[in-house]
Amino acid sequence: MRFQSALIVGAGAGLSASLARQLAAQGTRVALAARNAEKLAPLAAEIGGMALACDAARPEAVAALFAETDRLGFAPDCVIYNPSRRLRGAITDLDPAAVAEVLAISAYGGFLVGQQAARRMLARGGGAIGFTGASASVKGYALSAPFAMGKFALRGLAQSMARELHPQGVHVVHLVIDGGIRSEHRPTPADAPDSLLDPDAIAATYLAALQQPRSAWSFEVELRPWVERF
């Protein structure tokens, strides 16, 4: 299965850029969405895609994003939700408003995007929706309650959507990235060359999962460096 068009929400450098490049290399039209669309312009130009502005935690902004893709005749048969927000601190010291923002970005936005995508895919008879998870999707760490809350909620959303939508032809995949991802700002340590995940390798597995034959669909895939303890 090769997608005709794909929308990556929460796009930027790293994993989402790797996903965009690999999708474009398959001949897929790619739209990138983030709060600051201007930062996406170089990547959009590189892959021949388009950059759109969207605050994924706001219902009206997500509705407007999908209305714009409708207006442009861009009907993504693949939608990937990538945003998240981290907030560390002792449970006794956390600011409730900041925690609410973490939950809105990490989980509520996934619901908003997933809902809009599912409505269109069901009407067209199929599609694939991906949600990017983390170690915190399945285990909560000390001093990281907000991130765990958000990622646990996103995983629950994805699981519920998969059970509802798979029989209707919409493939939902949740990817657990259990480890750090290599980037320009996070290079591989010289003394631990295999300790970080390669974003291109993650993207390859992510797309392979989303493009599985429907006779053998996965709901969830876990990825980690081979030296990672789990």
mmCIF file of all heavy atoms in Angstrom, residues 10 15 47 52 57-58 65 77 95 102 105 111-112 116 133 142 153 166 184 190 211 214:
data_model
loop_
_atom_site.group_PDB
_atom_site.id
_atom_site.type_symbol
_atom_site.label_atom_id
_atom_site.label_comp_id
_atom_site.label_asym_id
_atom_site.label_seq_id
_atom_site.Cartn_x
_atom_site.Cartn_y
_atom_site.Cartn_z
ATOM 1 N N GLY A 10 2.175 18.436 13.873
ATOM 2 C CA GLY A 10 3.264 18.532 14.835
ATOM 3 C C GLY A 10 4.596 18.290 14.162
ATOM 4 O O GLY A 10 5.509 17.711 14.742
ATOM 5 N N LEU A 15 12.044 13.139 13.748
ATOM 6 C CA LEU A 15 11.223 12.049 13.241
ATOM 7 C C LEU A 15 10.251 12.511 12.169
ATOM 8 O O LEU A 15 10.108 11.862 11.128
ATOM 9 C CB LEU A 15 10.463 11.387 14.391
ATOM 10 C CG LEU A 15 9.428 10.337 13.987
ATOM 11 C CD1 LEU A 15 10.061 9.218 13.177
ATOM 12 C CD2 LEU A 15 8.702 9.803 15.215
ATOM 13 N N ILE A 47 10.740 18.722 -0.105
ATOM 14 C CA ILE A 47 9.975 17.536 -0.492
ATOM 15 C C ILE A 47 8.852 17.849 -1.476
ATOM 16 O O ILE A 47 8.105 16.949 -1.878
ATOM 17 C CB ILE A 47 9.382 16.834 0.742
ATOM 18 C CG1 ILE A 47 8.370 17.747 1.445
ATOM 19 C CG2 ILE A 47 10.484 16.386 1.691
ATOM 20 C CD1 ILE A 47 7.604 17.062 2.569
ATOM 21 N N LEU A 52 1.351 24.198 6.668
ATOM 22 C CA LEU A 52 0.122 24.810 7.147
ATOM 23 C C LEU A 52 0.236 25.084 8.637
ATOM 24 O O LEU A 52 0.882 24.347 9.372
ATOM 25 C CB LEU A 52 -1.072 23.882 6.893
ATOM 26 C CG LEU A 52 -1.312 23.463 5.437
ATOM 27 C CD1 LEU A 52 -2.355 22.349 5.375
ATOM 28 C CD2 LEU A 52 -1.761 24.660 4.614
ATOM 29 N N ALA A 57 -4.044 21.790 19.768
ATOM 30 C CA ALA A 57 -4.810 21.692 21.007
ATOM 31 C C ALA A 57 -6.096 22.506 20.974
ATOM 32 O O ALA A 57 -6.863 22.485 21.937
ATOM 33 C CB ALA A 57 -3.952 22.133 22.190
ATOM 34 N N ARG A 58 -6.347 23.210 19.868
ATOM 35 C CA ARG A 58 -7.544 24.069 19.769
ATOM 36 C C ARG A 58 -8.512 23.467 18.748
ATOM 37 O O ARG A 58 -8.164 23.301 17.568
ATOM 38 C CB ARG A 58 -7.163 25.478 19.364
ATOM 39 C CG ARG A 58 -6.338 26.224 20.415
ATOM 40 C CD ARG A 58 -5.848 27.573 19.891
ATOM 41 N NE ARG A 58 -6.931 28.356 19.330
ATOM 42 C CZ ARG A 58 -6.894 28.942 18.124
ATOM 43 N NH1 ARG A 58 -5.825 28.819 17.359
ATOM 44 N NH2 ARG A 58 -7.904 29.642 17.677
ATOM 45 N N LEU A 65 -7.817 23.509 9.893
ATOM 46 C CA LEU A 65 -6.764 22.813 9.144
ATOM 47 C C LEU A 65 -7.368 21.832 8.153
ATOM 48 O O LEU A 65 -6.999 21.813 6.969
ATOM 49 C CB LEU A 65 -5.843 22.075 10.123
ATOM 50 C CG LEU A 65 -4.835 21.095 9.493
ATOM 51 C CD1 LEU A 65 -3.815 21.845 8.640
ATOM 52 C CD2 LEU A 65 -4.141 20.269 10.576
ATOM 53 N N ASP A 77 -4.874 10.219 2.916
ATOM 54 C CA ASP A 77 -5.246 8.869 3.323
ATOM 55 C C ASP A 77 -4.304 8.363 4.408
ATOM 56 O O ASP A 77 -4.427 7.241 4.875
ATOM 57 C CB ASP A 77 -5.286 7.905 2.137
ATOM 58 C CG ASP A 77 -4.060 7.978 1.243
ATOM 59 O OD1 ASP A 77 -3.187 8.815 1.491
ATOM 60 O OD2 ASP A 77 -3.993 7.197 0.276
ATOM 61 N N ASP A 95 2.458 23.156 38.371
ATOM 62 C CA ASP A 95 1.453 24.185 38.113
ATOM 63 C C ASP A 95 0.279 23.542 37.372
ATOM 64 O O ASP A 95 0.461 23.024 36.261
ATOM 65 C CB ASP A 95 2.074 25.294 37.269
ATOM 66 C CG ASP A 95 1.069 26.350 36.853
ATOM 67 O OD1 ASP A 95 0.006 26.451 37.484
ATOM 68 O OD2 ASP A 95 1.344 27.060 35.859
ATOM 69 N N VAL A 102 -0.023 20.501 28.908
ATOM 70 C CA VAL A 102 0.634 19.259 28.484
ATOM 71 C C VAL A 102 -0.401 18.249 28.008
ATOM 72 O O VAL A 102 -0.245 17.622 26.950
ATOM 73 C CB VAL A 102 1.462 18.666 29.642
ATOM 74 C CG1 VAL A 102 1.931 17.255 29.298
ATOM 75 C CG2 VAL A 102 2.657 19.548 29.945
ATOM 76 N N ILE A 105 -1.948 19.227 24.560
ATOM 77 C CA ILE A 105 -1.082 19.011 23.403
ATOM 78 C C ILE A 105 -0.823 17.528 23.164
ATOM 79 O O ILE A 105 -0.906 17.038 22.028
ATOM 80 C CB ILE A 105 0.246 19.771 23.592
ATOM 81 C CG1 ILE A 105 -0.008 21.278 23.605
ATOM 82 C CG2 ILE A 105 1.252 19.397 22.506
ATOM 83 C CD1 ILE A 105 1.184 22.097 24.045
ATOM 84 N N PHE A 111 -6.988 13.511 19.915
ATOM 85 C CA PHE A 111 -8.420 13.266 19.705
ATOM 86 C C PHE A 111 -8.967 14.168 18.606
ATOM 87 O O PHE A 111 -9.685 13.715 17.708
ATOM 88 C CB PHE A 111 -9.198 13.492 20.996
ATOM 89 C CG PHE A 111 -10.658 13.770 20.779
ATOM 90 C CD1 PHE A 111 -11.518 12.753 20.390
ATOM 91 C CD2 PHE A 111 -11.151 15.057 20.905
ATOM 92 C CE1 PHE A 111 -12.867 13.016 20.151
ATOM 93 C CE2 PHE A 111 -12.497 15.337 20.675
ATOM 94 C CZ PHE A 111 -13.358 14.308 20.291
ATOM 95 N N LEU A 112 -8.641 15.462 18.677
ATOM 96 C CA LEU A 112 -9.171 16.406 17.693
ATOM 97 C C LEU A 112 -8.751 16.029 16.270
ATOM 98 O O LEU A 112 -9.572 16.010 15.348
ATOM 99 C CB LEU A 112 -8.700 17.826 18.015
ATOM 100 C CG LEU A 112 -9.198 18.421 19.336
ATOM 101 C CD1 LEU A 112 -8.520 19.760 19.595
ATOM 102 C CD2 LEU A 112 -10.716 18.585 19.330
ATOM 103 N N GLN A 116 -11.201 14.345 13.151
ATOM 104 C CA GLN A 116 -11.346 14.939 11.817
ATOM 105 C C GLN A 116 -10.870 13.973 10.731
ATOM 106 O O GLN A 116 -11.500 13.836 9.674
ATOM 107 C CB GLN A 116 -10.555 16.249 11.743
ATOM 108 C CG GLN A 116 -11.068 17.378 12.608
ATOM 109 C CD GLN A 116 -12.362 17.985 12.091
ATOM 110 O OE1 GLN A 116 -12.719 17.843 10.931
ATOM 111 N NE2 GLN A 116 -13.070 18.690 12.963
ATOM 112 N N GLY A 133 3.898 7.611 20.210
ATOM 113 C CA GLY A 133 4.000 7.450 21.650
ATOM 114 C C GLY A 133 5.442 7.464 22.122
ATOM 115 O O GLY A 133 6.371 7.760 21.364
ATOM 116 N N ALA A 142 9.174 8.889 37.747
ATOM 117 C CA ALA A 142 9.163 9.890 38.810
ATOM 118 C C ALA A 142 9.451 11.266 38.238
ATOM 119 O O ALA A 142 10.241 11.411 37.294
ATOM 120 C CB ALA A 142 10.216 9.537 39.867
ATOM 121 N N ALA A 153 -2.921 8.669 27.957
ATOM 122 C CA ALA A 153 -4.214 9.029 27.369
ATOM 123 C C ALA A 153 -4.187 8.871 25.849
ATOM 124 O O ALA A 153 -5.154 8.392 25.251
ATOM 125 C CB ALA A 153 -4.568 10.463 27.743
ATOM 126 N N HIS A 166 -10.827 -0.254 12.860
ATOM 127 C CA HIS A 166 -10.237 -1.314 12.031
ATOM 128 C C HIS A 166 -11.292 -2.087 11.240
ATOM 129 O O HIS A 166 -11.122 -2.311 10.039
ATOM 130 C CB HIS A 166 -9.407 -2.267 12.888
ATOM 131 C CG HIS A 166 -8.036 -1.752 13.199
ATOM 132 N ND1 HIS A 166 -7.027 -2.545 13.726
ATOM 133 C CD2 HIS A 166 -7.483 -0.517 13.062
ATOM 134 C CE1 HIS A 166 -5.930 -1.829 13.893
ATOM 135 N NE2 HIS A 166 -6.188 -0.589 13.512
ATOM 136 N N GLU A 184 20.457 16.729 15.728
ATOM 137 C CA GLU A 184 21.575 17.676 15.726
ATOM 138 C C GLU A 184 21.885 18.152 17.134
ATOM 139 O O GLU A 184 23.041 18.391 17.490
ATOM 140 C CB GLU A 184 21.243 18.880 14.844
ATOM 141 C CG GLU A 184 21.163 18.561 13.363
ATOM 142 C CD GLU A 184 20.892 19.795 12.547
ATOM 143 O OE1 GLU A 184 20.865 20.909 13.136
ATOM 144 O OE2 GLU A 184 20.690 19.678 11.327
ATOM 145 N N ALA A 190 29.910 9.343 22.140
ATOM 146 C CA ALA A 190 31.057 8.592 21.614
ATOM 147 C C ALA A 190 31.262 7.284 22.349
ATOM 148 O O ALA A 190 31.722 6.287 21.762
ATOM 149 C CB ALA A 190 32.311 9.453 21.704
ATOM 150 N N GLN A 211 1.446 0.861 6.508
ATOM 151 C CA GLN A 211 1.182 0.344 5.169
ATOM 152 C C GLN A 211 1.035 -1.182 5.137
ATOM 153 O O GLN A 211 1.104 -1.790 4.076
ATOM 154 C CB GLN A 211 2.316 0.774 4.228
ATOM 155 C CG GLN A 211 2.357 2.283 4.021
ATOM 156 C CD GLN A 211 3.596 2.759 3.278
ATOM 157 O OE1 GLN A 211 4.648 2.141 3.357
ATOM 158 N NE2 GLN A 211 3.464 3.853 2.560
ATOM 159 N N ARG A 214 -4.034 -5.358 4.905
ATOM 160 C CA ARG A 214 -5.112 -5.352 5.893
ATOM 161 C C ARG A 214 -5.436 -6.734 6.447
ATOM 162 O O ARG A 214 -6.162 -6.853 7.433
ATOM 163 C CB ARG A 214 -6.358 -4.703 5.314
ATOM 164 C CG ARG A 214 -7.014 -5.457 4.154
ATOM 165 C CD ARG A 214 -8.226 -4.703 3.676
ATOM 166 N NE ARG A 214 -8.920 -5.414 2.599
ATOM 167 C CZ ARG A 214 -10.023 -4.956 2.023
ATOM 168 N NH1 ARG A 214 -10.548 -3.803 2.412
ATOM 169 N NH2 ARG A 214 -10.597 -5.647 1.062
#
